[in-house]
Amino acid sequence: MRRMMMGTGWKMNFTIGESVRYLQTLIPRVAGDAEIDIFVVPSFTALAEVGRTLHGTNIGFGAQNMFWEERGAYTGEISPGMVAECGCRYVEMGHWERRRLFAETDEHIGKKARSAWNHGLVPIICFGEAERASQPDDAIPVLTEQLGGALGKLTPDEVARTVLAYEPAWAIGVEGQAAQPEYAAGILRAARSVVRRTHGEKAAEAVRMLYGGSVNLANAAGYLADSNVDGLFVGRAALDPEAFARLVRIGVEHSRLRETV
Ligand code: PGA
């Protein structure tokens, strides 16, 4: 069975001090929740301090981006080695905001994913259609293109340990626009069939697939009720650490429910 994940990307929101204060609230509230993977994705500037704060806890963390090259004349970029040096377990890539505002392409994401694994970093690869399809299977061509580009340089074993986050552009950051749970689950089923074709059955069964896009305390359980959804990746609703701790609790409860069926 795939281990559930509950994560939050902080985008460009917290300073170093705010990041540490957030974690000081979160850590004791989720300390007993060992059966799922919990993670936060802070700003670059906070990574080192976040690493110190989270040392010895059950909360993982990652960077929001990185460049694929090891070093050199790439002003403003951060290398995979620099991300790894901060103690990151994960590195996020392909978020819609980066695709739209910073021209990140599937080809770039493919290079970043390759480079991440070269450094033992787990890529959290965001994907999703820009316009809502009338039914999930209609999105298969887009998913095939995105996942083909993102996963093309990875071995089946690396894909099995990669995290995919379905984050449709139309559902992110807009009140009331979250994808319906059945629709999100349908997309993840379709995405898994794409991975099955490109990297085989074992990778397809193992790769964890999250949903993100206007997740909140009211709708989170609806997604997790479907076993195609391996966890949630939350933005706004997790900017308050108490709320994120409650979301983690919902994840833990569903993880236990899955174990009993
Ligand atoms: P949101 O953001 O939860 O604020 O919609 C989700 C995301 O971008 O990961």
Side-chain angles (χ1 to χ4, degrees):
M1 203 167 68
R2 294 182 294 270
R3 192 173 154 87
M4 194 178 282
M5 301 184 86
M6 294 294 279
T8 175
W10 291 348
K11 309 193 182 191
M12 200 178 71
N13 280 304
F14 297 143
T15 62
I16 299 172
E18 288 165 344
S19 302
V20 171
R21 279 195 291 283
Y22 182 109
L23 294 173
Q24 284 166 343
T25 304
L26 179 67
I27 291 167
R29 283 168 177 72
V30 302
D33 298 332
E35 58 265 82
I36 68 168
D37 288 336
I38 306 164
F39 66 93
V40 298
V41 190
S43 298
F44 285 125
T45 50
L47 287 178
E49 197 56 40
V50 162
R52 281 187 279 276
T53 309
L54 290 180
H55 188 77
T57 72
N58 58 333
I59 304 170
F61 67 102
Q64 296 183 12
N65 180 34
M66 63 168 207
F67 194 43
W68 56 80
E69 295 288 353
E70 306 278 325
R71 61 172 61 234
Y74 305 106
T75 301
E77 291 296 321
I78 307 275
S79 77
M82 292 168 186
V83 168
E85 185 186 25
C86 292
C88 290
R89 184 180 308 157
Y90 306 101
V91 58
E92 182 180 355
M93 51 191 74
H95 191 280
W96 170 245
E97 286 147 19
R98 293 211 54 84
R99 291 179 190 256
R100 179 169 59 91
L101 296 170
F102 304 101
E104 196 161 303
T105 66
D106 295 323
E107 192 196 343
H108 296 159
I109 297 159
K111 289 182 179 174
K112 290 179 183 192
R114 174 66 269 145
S115 185
W117 275 121
N118 291 348
H119 288 263
L121 293 162
V122 177
I124 299 175
I125 301 175
C126 302
F127 69 101
E129 76 286 14
E131 307 266 337
R132 192 187 186 287
S134 50
Q135 50 181 7
D137 281 356
D138 292 347
I140 286 181
V142 179
L143 304 181
T144 304
E145 198 176 314
Q146 290 186 341
L147 297 177
L151 304 176
K153 297 182 191 305
L154 304 185
T155 65
D157 183 52
E158 287 163 342
V159 170
R161 289 176 290 135
T162 293
V163 178
L164 298 177
Y166 170 54
E167 297 230 348
W170 47 270
I172 297 170
V174 198
E175 211 51 57
Q177 286 292 327
Q180 288 300 309
E182 318 75 70
Y183 181 86
I187 290 277
L188 292 188
R189 237 187 338 268
R192 211 172 284 286
S193 73
V194 171
V195 176
R196 191 169 289 118
R197 274 203 307 280
T198 58
H199 288 82
E201 181 67 24
K202 247 174 100 175
E205 279 309 308
V207 61
R208 287 184 288 180
M209 296 197 182
L210 318 181
Y211 169 71
S214 299
V215 170
N216 57 39
L217 278 163
N219 65 17
Y223 298 105
L224 299 177
D226 192 309
S227 62
N228 287 292
V229 183
D230 301 319
L232 299 171
F233 196 15
V234 190
R236 288 159 297 157
L239 287 172
D240 166 7
E242 309 247 10
F244 184 48
R246 286 204 288 279
L247 286 161
V248 167
R249 186 107 304 276
I250 294 171
V252 169
E253 279 158 15
H254 280 79
S255 169
R256 287 184 187 152
L257 273 176
R258 286 183 193 187
E259 267 169 30
T260 58
V261 291

